[in-house]
Amino acid sequence: MQKLGAEHSAIREIFEQANARALQIGRENVFDFSLGNPNVPAPDCVQEELKRLVSEMPPERLHGYSSAAGLPEVRERVADYLRGTFGANARAELIYMTCGASSSLTATFGGILNRGEEVLVLAPYFPEYRVFISQAGGLMKPVRTDENFHIDAQAVEAAITPKTRAIVVNSPNNPSGAVYGAAELQALCKVLSRKSAEYGARIFLIADEPYRELTYGADVPYLMNFYADTVVCYSFSKSLSLAGERIGFAAVNADMEGAKDVFAAISGAARAAGYVCAPTLFQRVCAHSLGKTGELSVYGGNRTLLYGALADMGYACNKPEGAFYLFVKSPEPSAAAFCARAKKYGLFFVPSDSFGVEGYARISYCVKREMIERSLPAFRALAEEYGLVK
Amino acid sequence: MQKLGAEHSAIREIFEQANARALQIGRENVFDFSLGNPNVPAPDCVQEELKRLVSEMPPERLHGYSSAAGLPEVRERVADYLRGTFGANARAELIYMTCGASSSLTATFGGILNRGEEVLVLAPYFPEYRVFISQAGGLMKPVRTDENFHIDAQAVEAAITPKTRAIVVNSPNNPSGAVYGAAELQALCKVLSRKSAEYGARIFLIADEPYRELTYGADVPYLMNFYADTVVCYSFSKSLSLAGERIGFAAVNADMEGAKDVFAAISGAARAAGYVCAPTLFQRVCAHSLGKTGELSVYGGNRTLLYGALADMGYACNKPEGAFYLFVKSPEPSAAAFCARAKKYGLFFVPSDSFGVEGYARISYCVKREMIERSLPAFRALAEEYGLVK
């Protein structure tokens, strides 16, 4: 734990380096593309509901405990929304309000894993999965994706053993920007069903969906509709730009056999980790703002600008289908060397190694457009150093 | 985990029974003394600061991630407050902002315990300690207190083994209402120091202080000033009536040897449990409201009324020195039987068995005064059934 607490994550490390560099050469000469902190304001409906609740609701009710799983009316509204929007078999009694997607994930891993069981993750993947899965006594097992970072069902099948208890599907994907389509998800679920039957043991599908609303045209199929043993881990961090307020939910598919028991196990794990309830003010605010988002089109504009410019300069980029990350191929074998070289030009982004693939960098474009514009000469100079520019 | 999630805590169970009974016989005939949910409104400074922040601060900054340990300016203000108010050796870099006292505790247990190590708790104790300590791989070991529920240093000494890694001190105490004085704490710390030296292994003192400001004249000594190896687990739930908003902190004593490493271990445990950061809006609100409280005198009034009336009726009550619980001796050997009999009169309170002592009941008086007044005939009828009334 001491090691875990003393180390920054690779992402946070780059962020700290960018800050340190800004003190040396001036903030205006540093282009920090490290973090996934939304820079779009929360929508007006959030701010208005916050003001309304604080003005109108008696504070002892507004700020009092909710039951562990959340306020009943909030859970009802979330379930209604999931049924109405996605046709999912969501039920209020299977919605657990959480302190964001990370706590949805830790409660879910804690609830479903027995010691030594394996959880598959599709590479590239969010690095904290490893921490969360270990904490629950499990073992993270990365599975490669195809050359466009989409699901390779055969690779998944080959990775499944009798110890496989779950697979995490994160779409839109951090860091690749891939959004998995219906066909590849169907192929994946077919594999999961077949192998579950073969080994006589259930394999859960954990849909980690903080970026659900951040897409550029792609549809994000709702996985409850594809596979009974699905738990959806959602966060309002990105859709409503509330990353610091820690609010989300875990939703157990009502189609699941023994859904109530799985829900109880998730509740138990949340309880054991000290999550008494999700923050009550933001439970109410989010229930009021279901289906709303901040001005996410800002990210679309950033994507067009950054992808277009970098592709023109000769960088090989994976065009993001969702989320707000550009995954760029390193012009030299080592992504770490690429990122180190970029720092000379004031460019700070994260090598892909910590995401479980080699030879790429994650450029987070949830930043001011103006910073992207100012950064382009630096990207060009870096491209010239590599001889990419034609 | 399934069992943990499916079971209500003993406290929550009584609360649910009271609700069910209210549906049968009418809310006005049920006197629910089960929960510790503050019924005093948050103070105006909280509501005003909430409004000000929502109106004035750009939402993307207000609601964005903080670093894992909290906003630097918030940690500074908390440390300043602890230094200024208690003369404690608190430092910003050793303050970890948390989602309330429960997460302060789980992060602390997770950070300091190795598998199989023991944590002493003074009985009666908050029942979730057992859950939190087990989750961290430890073993909870209750130690009896004296006849007034104060510390028996000899009993503590006798309970310490080479496996003892920590003791939890919860003062003002839930459920007994005891507030431990300086002399008994000094005696305790002397024992801890002596046994640490004898076994060559550190014993941490974990001060669980959600009720610090709820006292009726008693002083609550600051344990950092008594013992170097102290971690203070604090919550704003009760002082500012923000129980549902999940905000508190863990503070590692700067006098501690290797304080930085212990802090890192606590940070690591919080990270592994999925606590990305404490809710940022309430970090700011609480930093603004340090030293402020709601109208806690309401609880003093309730205490006078309830203690006076019940003592008059012949109940043997432990007069609360702090917190908002009246600990009443059961007039029959079984506290469960006492609480069951009380239900016939519409009275719902919690038998002491789940708090680790026999023969008492916890009557939570963070309720409307008017409900206490209306409940007195029921308490009298119950007393008459037992032949207590002289």
Side-chain angles (χ1 to χ4, degrees), chain A residues 250-265:
Chain A
V252 174
N253 192 354
D255 290 337
M256 186 187 295
E257 204 185 306
K260 212 179 138 189
D261 294 341
V262 172
F263 182 82

Side-chain angles (χ1 to χ4, degrees), chain A residues 1-2 4-5 37 47 63-65 106 128 132 238 243-246 261 264 268 271 273-277 279-281, chain B residues 1-2 4-5 37 47 63-65 102 106 128 132 238 243-246 261 264 268 271 273-277 279-281:
Chain A
M1 288 302 173
Q2 186 183 321
L4 206 57
N37 203 359
Q47 300 301 93
H63 303 304
Y65 286 121
T106 53
E128 292 294 278
F132 298 161
K238 317 292 180 180
E245 305 300 357
R246 313 313 306 138
D261 294 341
R271 178 181 168 189
Y275 288 103
V276 173
C277 63
T280 44
L281 175 58
Chain B
M1 288 301 172
Q2 186 183 322
L4 205 58
N37 203 359
Q47 300 301 92
H63 303 305
Y65 287 120
S102 290
T106 54
E128 292 294 277
F132 298 160
K238 317 292 180 182
E245 305 300 356
R246 314 313 305 138
D261 293 341
R271 178 180 168 189
Y275 288 103
V276 173
C277 62
T280 43
L281 175 57

Side-chain angles (χ1 to χ4, degrees), chain A residues 1-9 12 16 36-42 46-48 50-51 53-55 57-60 62-68 99 102-103 106-107 110-111 115 128 131-132 135 237-238 240-246 260-284 368, chain B residues 1-9 12 16 36-42 46-48 50-51 53-55 57-60 62-68 99 102-103 106-107 110-111 115 128 131-132 135 237-238 240-246 260-284 368:
Chain A
M1 288 302 173
Q2 186 183 321
K3 194 163 164 276
L4 206 57
E7 277 175 359
H8 288 298
S9 74
R12 185 65 66 166
E16 302 291 350
N37 203 359
N39 74 315
V40 163
V46 163
Q47 300 301 93
E48 280 156 20
L50 273 171
K51 283 182 205 163
L53 287 166
V54 173
S55 302
M57 193 177 272
E60 65 279 20
L62 180 59
H63 303 304
Y65 286 121
S66 75
S67 61
C99 294
S102 289
S103 71
T106 53
R115 190 157 294 278
E128 292 294 278
V131 175
F132 298 161
Q135 170 70 5
S237 290
K238 317 292 180 180
L240 295 177
S241 291
L242 293 175
E245 305 300 357
R246 313 313 306 138
K260 212 179 138 189
D261 294 341
V262 172
F263 182 82
I266 292 172
S267 313
R271 178 181 168 189
Y275 288 103
V276 173
C277 63
T280 44
L281 175 58
F282 280 96
Q283 285 190 47
R284 292 186 171 94
K368 290 216 161 63
Chain B
M1 288 301 172
Q2 186 183 322
K3 193 161 165 277
L4 205 58
E7 278 174 356
H8 288 300
S9 74
R12 185 65 67 164
E16 301 290 349
N37 203 359
N39 74 317
V40 163
V46 163
Q47 300 301 92
E48 279 156 21
L50 273 171
K51 284 182 204 164
L53 286 167
V54 172
S55 301
M57 193 179 271
E60 66 278 18
L62 181 58
H63 303 305
Y65 287 120
S66 76
S67 61
C99 294
S102 290
S103 71
T106 54
R115 189 156 294 279
E128 292 294 277
V131 175
F132 298 160
Q135 170 70 6
S237 290
K238 317 292 180 182
L240 295 176
S241 290
L242 294 176
E245 305 300 356
R246 314 313 305 138
K260 212 179 138 191
D261 293 341
V262 172
F263 182 82
I266 292 172
S267 313
R271 178 180 168 189
Y275 288 103
V276 173
C277 62
T280 43
L281 175 57
F282 281 96
Q283 285 190 47
R284 291 187 171 94
K368 289 215 159 64

Side-chain angles (χ1 to χ4, degrees), chain A residues 145-188:
Chain A
T145 49
D146 72 14
E147 65 282 7
N148 300 313
F149 306 110
H150 278 259
I151 302 173
D152 181 334
Q154 281 189 308
V156 173
E157 181 151 21
I160 295 174
T161 75
K163 285 189 150 180
T164 305
R165 185 60 45 243
I167 181 167
V168 180
V169 174
N170 170 223
S171 172
N173 184 264
N174 170 14
S176 74
V179 175
Y180 308 140
E184 63 192 303
L185 290 167
Q186 263 149 3
L188 170 71

Side-chain angles (χ1 to χ4, degrees), chain B residues 225-342:
Chain B
N225 298 330
F226 283 63
Y227 189 72
D229 289 327
T230 294
V231 180
V232 175
C233 293
Y234 184 81
S235 164
F236 296 95
S237 290
K238 317 292 180 182
S239 59
L240 295 176
S241 290
L242 294 176
E245 305 300 356
R246 314 313 305 138
I247 183 76
F249 60 78
V252 174
N253 192 355
D255 291 336
M256 186 186 293
E257 202 185 308
K260 212 179 138 191
D261 293 341
V262 172
F263 182 82
I266 292 172
S267 313
R271 178 180 168 189
Y275 288 103
V276 173
C277 62
T280 43
L281 175 57
F282 281 96
Q283 285 190 47
R284 291 187 171 94
V285 168
C286 290
H288 172 81
S289 307
L290 286 162
K292 309 277 175 58
T293 65
E295 267 300 307
L296 303 184
S297 61
V298 169
Y299 302 127
N302 288 355
R303 164 182 175 265
T304 305
L305 170 63
L306 189 68
Y307 174 81
L310 266 61
D312 267 0
M313 291 174 199
Y315 292 100
C317 304
N318 192 55
K319 189 164 191 178
E321 298 160 311
F324 42 46
Y325 306 106
L326 183 65
F327 213 46
V328 179
K329 201 163 168 45
S330 169
E332 58 183 312
S334 159
F338 172 45
C339 293
R341 205 180 290 256

